[in-house]
Amino acid sequence: MKYVVALIGLAVILALAWLVSSDKKNIKFRPIVIMIALQIVLGLILLKTSIGEFLVRGFADGFAKILNFANEGTDFVFGGIVNEGVHSFFFHVLMPIVFMSVLIGILQHYKILPFIIKYIGLALSKVNGMGKLESYNAVASAILGQNEVFISFKKQIGLLPRQRLYTLCASAMSTVSMSIVGSYMTMLKPEYVVAALVLNLFGGFIISSIVNPYKVQPEDDILEVKEERKQTFFEMLGEYIMDGFKVVVIVGVMLVGFVALISMINGIFSGVFGISFQNILGYALAPFAFLMGVPWHEAIKAGSIMATKIVANEFVAMLDFVKIQGDFSERTKAIVSVFLISFANFGSIGTIVGAVKGLNEKQGNVVAGFGLKLLYGAALVSFLSATIIGIVF
C-alpha cells in the first residue's frame, strides 16, 4: 500500500509542475521518464545495496576525517570558549565550512574540479535533453554553490533567454554547495545526504523540463566557462578561507534572525489561537508528507519541519528535526532528511536575484520577475526527491 501512495504522490508532484508549465504542448516526456527511472535505480543502489552502502560509507568516512581536520583548526582558535563536552552549533557545524572552502579552492586551483564538472555535465546533457550549459550549471552548483556558479559563465548571462535563465536558477536553488555538505552530515545520516545530492541533480532537470520546456538550438548550445585570474597558491588559499568564513557568518546571522522570528511568531499564534504557527504549517503540508510516503500519524510533524525549511531555511528545519526525529520511523526520517537537502526557501530568491543582478542588472530583474515560480519549481524538486525515497525505501 505504501508504494501505491508514493506512486500517487509522484503523479501529484508531476501534475503540479504541469499546471504551471509555460508550454504544455512542447514538454518532452521521454527524457523525463528516463530520468525518473534513473532516480529510482540510483535510490535503490544507494540505500538498498552493498555497493551503495560501500560508496556512502566511503563518502561519509571521508567527510568525517575532513570534519576532524576542520575541528583541529577551530579548537586551536576557539577551544577555550566552548566548555568541554558541550556541542556548539557555530563551532562544530558552521566553522568546518571554512576548511571545506579551502579544499574546494585547492581543487579549483589545480583544475581538477573544472575538469570533473565539465565532463559530468556533458554526459548529463545526453540524458536530460537540455543544453550543455544547463548540465554544467547543475553539477557546478552542487560543488561551487548557487551564487558562485553564475560567475563561472558570466559572459553568457546577458545572452540567455528567459527560459534558459529560469532553468539555471531553479537548478542552482535545488542543489546545495559541497562546502556545507559536511555540516549537514553532523545532523543527518550521511546516506540520506548523499541520496539527496544525487536525486536533486536529476530532479532539477525533471521539474524544469515540465515547468519550463524549450529547445536549445545547436548554434546556441555553447559552454564558455570563465577562467579565473591566475593566482599564486597562497593568494588563492587566503581568498577561499575568507570566502568560507563569510558563508559561516552569513549562515550564522541568518539563523539568529530566523530562529528568533519563528519563536516570536509561534508565541503570538499560541497566545491568540492556541496553536503554534509551525503546527498550522504542519497541517497544511501533512497531505503532501503523506503522499511522499510518511505514515499519516507522523505526517503533521513532518509537514511542520518541511514548511519550516521552505519558510526559513534548511538549517533551521534541521535543528528542529534533530530535536524530534526520535518520534519518527526510519522511513520518515529518510524522506524528511532528503527533503531538507536543498536551498529551496524564500531567502534563496533574494540570494539568487542578487547574484545574477551583480553580474547583469537586466537579467537580475528578469530573475526577480519569476522569483516565486522559481521557488515553486525548486520546492517541487525537494518533494520529488523525497517521494522517490518513499518509493525505494
Side-chain angles (χ1 to χ4, degrees):
M1 182 62 186
K2 65 181 182 181
Y3 298 111
V4 174
V5 172
L7 287 170
I8 292 171
L10 178 61
V12 169
I13 291 163
L14 297 178
L16 289 172
W18 181 83
L19 283 174
V20 299
S21 176
S22 59
D23 190 0
K24 295 181 176 66
K25 293 180 180 178
N26 288 314
I27 296 173
K28 292 183 274 188
F29 290 101
R30 186 171 178 273
I32 292 169
V33 171
I34 290 172
M35 287 188 285
I36 290 174
L38 275 173
Q39 281 189 310
I40 293 172
V41 170
L42 290 170
L44 285 169
I45 290 172
L46 288 171
L47 298 182
K48 294 295 183 179
T49 68
S50 56
I51 295 173
E53 185 182 347
F54 173 78
L55 292 173
V56 170
R57 191 188 306 119
F59 194 78
D61 289 347
F63 268 95
K65 287 183 172 64
I66 289 171
L67 289 173
N68 286 335
F69 296 144
N71 287 332
E72 289 288 330
T74 303
D75 291 343
F76 180 79
V77 177
F78 300 107
I81 297 178
V82 182
N83 294 328
E84 189 174 347
V86 175
H87 180 81
S88 165
F89 185 84
F90 182 82
F91 294 120
H92 296 123
V93 177
L94 296 185
M95 283 304 294
I97 292 174
V98 175
F99 186 57
M100 285 300 303
S101 180
V102 169
L103 295 182
I104 289 173
I106 292 170
L107 293 174
Q108 280 280 91
H109 184 76
Y110 289 110
K111 310 297 183 186
I112 298 170
L113 277 187
F115 178 84
I116 294 171
I117 292 169
K118 181 179 179 181
Y119 287 100
I120 292 179
L122 287 174
L124 284 174
S125 67
K126 306 296 182 184
V127 177
N128 59 33
M130 293 184 170
K132 295 173 185 174
L133 180 59
E134 286 83 349
S135 300
Y136 162 85
N137 176 79
V139 181
S141 296
I143 295 175
L144 304 178
Q146 67 174 343
N147 300 328
E148 294 80 0
V149 68
F150 294 107
I151 298 171
S152 66
F153 53 87
K154 176 182 176 179
K155 293 179 181 178
Q156 287 178 260
I157 288 180
L159 307 174
L160 295 171
R162 179 186 178 91
Q163 296 97 322
R164 296 190 77 184
L165 197 57
Y166 176 90
T167 297
L168 296 174
C169 292
S171 182
M173 192 184 281
S174 302
T175 57
V176 292
S177 169
M178 195 61 69
S179 64
I180 60 176
V181 166
S183 299
Y184 294 154
M185 287 185 178
T186 64
M187 295 179 281
L188 306 176
K189 284 191 173 182
E191 56 262 41
Y192 303 149
V193 176
V194 175
L197 294 175
V198 175
L199 296 180
N200 286 348
L201 187 66
F202 290 100
F205 294 136
I206 292 167
I207 298 300
S208 292
S209 295
I210 299 171
V211 171
N212 183 49
Y214 58 88
K215 181 175 176 59
V216 180
Q217 299 302 324
E219 61 269 20
D220 297 324
D221 193 15
I222 55 175
L223 176 60
E224 293 182 13
V225 179
K226 175 182 173 288
E227 288 288 333
E228 292 189 358
R229 177 178 65 86
K230 191 68 177 175
Q231 295 176 302
T232 66
F233 180 82
F234 289 102
E235 185 182 5
M236 172 279 300
L237 214 55
E239 183 179 306
Y240 274 87
I241 288 170
M242 291 308 299
D243 285 346
F245 186 66
K246 286 175 190 173
V247 173
V248 170
V249 173
I250 290 169
V251 172
V253 171
M254 291 280 283
L255 285 173
V256 170
F258 273 121
V259 171
L261 182 62
I262 289 175
S263 178
M264 183 187 76
I265 294 172
N266 279 337
I268 293 171
F269 270 73
S270 295
V272 176
F273 304 107
I275 184 173
S276 73
F277 178 65
Q278 282 177 290
N279 280 340
I280 292 174
L281 293 176
Y283 282 107
L285 285 187
F288 292 97
F290 176 72
L291 288 174
M292 287 157 51
V294 175
W296 182 251
H297 67 277
E298 299 175 339
I300 294 173
K301 282 186 177 180
S304 176
I305 299 296
M306 290 155 49
T308 300
K309 182 254 183 152
I310 295 172
V311 173
N313 63 40
E314 74 281 6
F315 273 115
V316 178
M318 285 177 199
L319 288 171
D320 285 346
F321 181 56
V322 168
K323 296 173 187 174
I324 64 170
Q325 62 179 332
D327 299 337
F328 293 133
S329 63
E330 194 59 37
R331 186 163 186 257
T332 298
K333 288 179 189 176
I335 292 169
V336 175
S337 295
V338 168
F339 180 87
L340 296 181
I341 308 294
S342 86
F343 290 143
N345 59 67
F346 280 98
S348 284
I349 298 175
T351 303
I352 287 182
V353 169
V356 176
K357 204 165 188 174
L359 299 171
N360 187 296
E361 186 168 354
K362 181 182 175 182
Q363 294 290 61
N365 292 332
V366 172
V367 175
F370 55 61
L372 287 177
K373 191 175 182 180
L374 190 62
L375 176 58
Y376 181 85
L380 285 180
V381 174
S382 293
F383 281 110
L384 176 59
S385 295
T387 303
I388 295 295
I389 293 299
I391 292 171
V392 304
F393 196 86

